[in-house]
Amino acid sequence: MSNGLIVNSFYELESRYTDYWNKNLGPKAWNIGPLCLAAEPPENNISKNSSYLRWLDEKFDKGEPVLYVSFGTQAEISPEQFLEIAEGLEKSEVSFLWALRSKGLDFLPEFESRVKKGRGLIEKEWVDQSKILQHDGVKGFLSHSGWNSVMESISAGVPILAMPFMAEQHLNARFVAEEIGVGPRILSRGGSVRGYVAAEEVEMKARELMGGRKVAEEVSKRVAEWGRAAHGAIKEGGSSWLTLDLLIDDVMGKFTK
């Protein structure tokens, strides 16, 4: 009974899927994103003066690229899996900012004490993810591959290290790594899509993204191209701009009949 779907994406990114959907399936999909670029958010004094942004500034001044780490707020991740991720990040020797809102993780105090001497920062309060991804010092995003995070990362031109946990995140991760090529994907033990991720896999992929010249250069080039396309889509005359006009015309036409 639906007249259509409003989608937080842009036509160039998923053109063949959008065309197939609209031709063979439906209801009509209207790609009007990325919504994170639709308007500048109001200045937030909390985020503006946050210690994690000052820490990123310091890292940038020293020429040390940072891997941003966040897995959203919905996925249930076991303490054992958190421990493997932490061990992998520590062994990778890359600088990282980990937005982590979890309680009861016994490894945290000891882990923090080992990495806080300049290389790692764990932020347990709310963070402004958009500002973090837009920071010049952030060169990678270890993400659960939630679609909003994917859109924000592409729009900011930041490569994604995809580590899905639930729901459509696995499909998004495959799209990120295999379809549009904006970053590698972390795999579970034995190469399976779902399951337990070992510290060695996190360490290897983090090194590849942040320090491996071939991988880093390739995905950085690809995400920069998609980032330019995303910004072009929402500009006047861009694909999302024109699609929104068509959506308004379609809705108004139904009301005036």
Side-chain angles (χ1 to χ4, degrees):
M1 298 296 292
S2 174
N3 289 319
L5 305 170
I6 295 176
V7 184
N8 181 21
S9 186
F10 55 103
Y11 178 75
E12 291 81 0
L13 189 69
E14 304 183 85
S15 57
R16 60 175 175 158
Y17 301 111
T18 300
D19 289 342
Y20 182 87
W21 176 272
N22 286 339
K23 182 179 179 180
N24 300 289
L25 300 172
K28 186 175 178 62
W30 308 88
N31 293 336
I32 62 170
L35 297 179
C36 60
L37 294 178
E40 285 294 322
E43 190 60 56
N44 187 318
N45 290 328
I46 295 177
S47 64
K48 182 179 179 181
N49 300 314
S50 293
S51 58
Y52 61 84
L53 291 179
R54 295 195 296 271
W55 184 83
L56 288 175
D57 290 339
E58 294 171 2
K59 283 293 182 183
F60 180 71
D61 291 340
K62 294 176 182 178
E64 300 177 11
V66 173
L67 175 67
Y68 172 54
V69 183
S70 177
F71 302 118
T73 58
Q74 294 184 336
E76 290 290 335
I77 306 174
S78 68
E80 293 78 16
Q81 182 63 87
F82 267 121
L83 184 60
E84 291 292 314
I85 296 169
E87 183 180 337
L89 288 173
E90 185 174 1
K91 289 183 177 179
S92 71
E93 299 184 345
V94 305
S95 296
F96 62 88
L97 167 59
W98 191 352
L100 179 60
R101 289 192 289 176
S102 296
K103 298 179 180 179
L105 299 177
D106 295 334
F107 74 87
L108 267 178
E110 183 179 349
F111 174 65
E112 281 186 281
S113 67
R114 292 197 303 267
V115 301
K116 71 179 180 181
K117 297 177 181 179
R119 191 168 65 79
L121 178 65
I122 298 177
E123 184 59 51
K124 300 169 190 171
E125 302 298 329
W126 178 89
V127 299
D128 190 329
Q129 178 164 291
S130 179
K131 278 193 176 297
I132 290 173
L133 290 172
Q134 292 170 16
H135 196 283
D136 291 335
V138 174
K139 301 300 182 182
F141 182 11
L142 174 51
S143 171
H144 60 307
S145 304
W147 191 248
N148 285 337
S149 291
V150 170
M151 285 289 96
E152 289 180 4
S153 200
I154 289 175
S155 299
V158 176
I160 300 168
L161 180 52
M163 186 175 177
F165 291 98
M166 57 179 284
E168 91 292 350
Q169 294 170 7
H170 297 277
L171 181 63
N172 296 344
R174 181 176 178 181
F175 182 73
V176 162
E178 300 177 19
E179 293 286 328
I180 59 176
V182 297
R185 179 177 179 179
I186 288 180
L187 294 175
S188 304
R189 276 194 174 132
S192 64
V193 173
R194 301 169 187 262
Y196 193 72
V197 173
E200 294 78 13
E201 174 75 359
V202 176
E203 175 190 358
M204 179 180 68
K205 293 296 174 62
R207 285 178 182 269
E208 283 182 1
L209 182 65
M210 302 299 290
R213 176 167 296 183
K214 183 177 180 181
V215 172
E217 288 180 353
E218 184 176 330
V219 297
S220 294
K221 179 181 178 181
R222 292 291 293 162
V223 77
E225 292 172 350
W226 286 119
R228 287 191 292 271
H231 282 264
I234 66 160
K235 290 182 179 179
E236 185 172 359
S239 61
S240 293
W241 181 287
L242 296 174
T243 298
L244 182 56
D245 280 345
L246 292 172
L247 170 60
I248 293 171
D249 289 343
D250 185 75
V251 172
M252 293 303 295
K254 286 181 170 60
F255 275 109
T256 56
K257 284 183 179 179

